[in-house]
Amino acid sequence: MKKLIGKNIYLRPVLEKDMEKFANFMNDFEGTVYTNTISEIYTEKEEREYFQNDSSRRQFAIIDRIEDKLLGLVELFSISWVHRVAELGIFIGDPKGRNRGLGYEAIMLALDYAFDILNLKTVHLTVSEFNQRGIALYKKCGFQHAGRLRNHRIFRGRYYDTLYMDILAEEHKSYCLREELDKIIQE
């Protein structure tokens, strides 16, 4: 089951069989530092509840195309159908999936979906100022600085700002979906 296909990954719906793996991902020390969930402890039951059907979310499992292996999650959440906006979240839970450019590909596929399928106008996200790798990735994907909450999060006794970043539909350079849609429509 492949919903959106990239060069190195594909995105598919999250399945029941993924729950154990997602619970493991969400309890990984290194990975959760960057998602600001390091203080939480997750069970399979809690993961199952998180993935319950909700019309304000679109969640995709990130799958390695070569190994057909679950790597993480990319999601659009807090979708407002009236205002045509959503928030983006991404998590590469499998350490072997990190630092390979797969986050970039997953985000670009999710943005294609957000703008070309869901017809959203804006996608935004939050990131802690200490997450320099994440900030660089989001900029590479076309996100721009949109605001800052000062001293918003505490980590190891130090306060950090939370940065807001966003991208508008007209700023997004399609990754691959527009070409695929054009082919289908022309046939």
Side-chain angles (χ1 to χ4, degrees), residues 127 136 146 155:
V127 60
F155 182 65

Side-chain angles (χ1 to χ4, degrees), residues 9 13-14 30 35-36 47 50 54 60 62 65 86 91-92 95 108 116-117 127 130-131 140 148 155 158 179-180 185:
I9 62 163
V14 175
E30 180 184 350
T35 59
N36 297 306
E47 285 300 290
Y50 180 76
D54 180 344
F60 295 102
I62 303 169
R65 281 185 70 179
F91 182 62
I92 304 292
M108 295 302 285
D116 293 333
I117 302 297
V127 60
F130 65 78
N131 188 353
K140 182 178 177 182
R148 172 185 300 264
F155 182 65
R158 180 174 169 209
E179 293 171 9
E180 292 298 316
I185 292 170

Side-chain angles (χ1 to χ4, degrees), residues 35 50 58-60 62 72-78 86-92 103 106-107 110-111 123-126 138 143:
T35 59
Y50 180 76
R58 295 294 186 271
Q59 300 167 310
F60 295 102
I62 303 169
L73 174 78
V74 64
E75 64 181 328
L76 298 164
F77 60 98
S78 299
E87 188 165 353
L88 179 116
I90 183 166
F91 182 62
I92 304 292
I107 290 170
L111 290 175
V123 174
H124 60 95
L125 59 86
T126 61
Y138 302 137
F143 285 86

Side-chain angles (χ1 to χ4, degrees), residues 9 27 54 61 63 71 74 100 112 115 132 134-135 146 187:
I9 62 163
N27 287 296
D54 180 344
I63 309 296
L71 300 174
V74 64
R100 295 176 43 203
D112 277 3
F115 296 130
Q132 292 300 309
I135 293 166
E187 290 178 356

Side-chain angles (χ1 to χ4, degrees), residues 13-184:
V14 175
L15 305 174
E16 174 65 30
K17 70 178 184 176
D18 299 331
M19 294 305 111
E20 180 181 356
K21 195 71 129 168
F22 276 122
N24 288 333
F25 290 165
M26 291 307 296
N27 287 296
D28 174 67
F29 184 78
E30 180 184 350
T32 56
V33 167
Y34 297 107
T35 59
N36 297 306
T37 57
I38 194 166
S39 63
E40 304 300 324
I41 297 171
Y42 294 91
T43 65
E44 281 184 54
K45 179 181 180 225
E46 290 166 324
E47 285 300 290
R48 211 171 273 108
E49 289 169 1
Y50 180 76
F51 288 106
Q52 294 298 313
N53 193 18
D54 180 344
S55 65
S56 70
R57 289 194 302 231
R58 295 294 186 271
Q59 300 167 310
F60 295 102
I62 303 169
I63 309 296
D64 184 306
R65 281 185 70 179
I66 295 167
E67 297 181 25
D68 206 40
K69 180 180 175 185
L70 177 65
L71 300 174
L73 174 78
V74 64
E75 64 181 328
L76 298 164
F77 60 98
S78 299
I79 298 172
S80 169
W81 300 109
V82 172
H83 301 293
R84 298 176 45 220
V85 301
E87 188 165 353
L88 179 116
I90 183 166
F91 182 62
I92 304 292
D94 187 328
K96 293 178 183 175
R98 298 179 190 147
N99 302 311
R100 295 176 43 203
L102 304 179
Y104 170 80
E105 195 169 343
I107 290 170
M108 295 302 285
L109 286 168
L111 290 175
D112 277 3
Y113 182 78
F115 296 130
D116 293 333
I117 302 297
L118 298 182
N119 198 32
L120 297 179
K121 176 67 174 163
T122 306
V123 174
H124 60 95
L125 59 86
T126 61
V127 60
S128 293
E129 69 176 324
F130 65 78
N131 188 353
Q132 292 300 309
R133 279 187 355 211
I135 293 166
L137 169 63
Y138 302 137
K139 286 181 180 178
K140 182 178 177 182
C141 293
F143 285 86
Q144 297 180 32
H145 180 75
R148 172 185 300 264
L149 289 175
R150 298 175 296 147
N151 291 328
H152 188 243
R153 292 195 172 118
I154 189 167
F155 182 65
R156 296 189 65 225
R158 180 174 169 209
Y159 282 93
Y160 293 92
D161 293 355
T162 294
L163 307 179
Y164 282 85
M165 300 178 80
D166 68 4
I167 184 170
L168 304 177
E170 59 267 21
E171 297 168 339
H172 175 60
K173 293 176 176 59
S174 179
Y175 185 66
C176 66
L177 195 54
R178 287 182 191 156
E179 293 171 9
E180 292 298 316
L181 290 170
D182 287 344
K183 286 180 198 174
I184 293 168

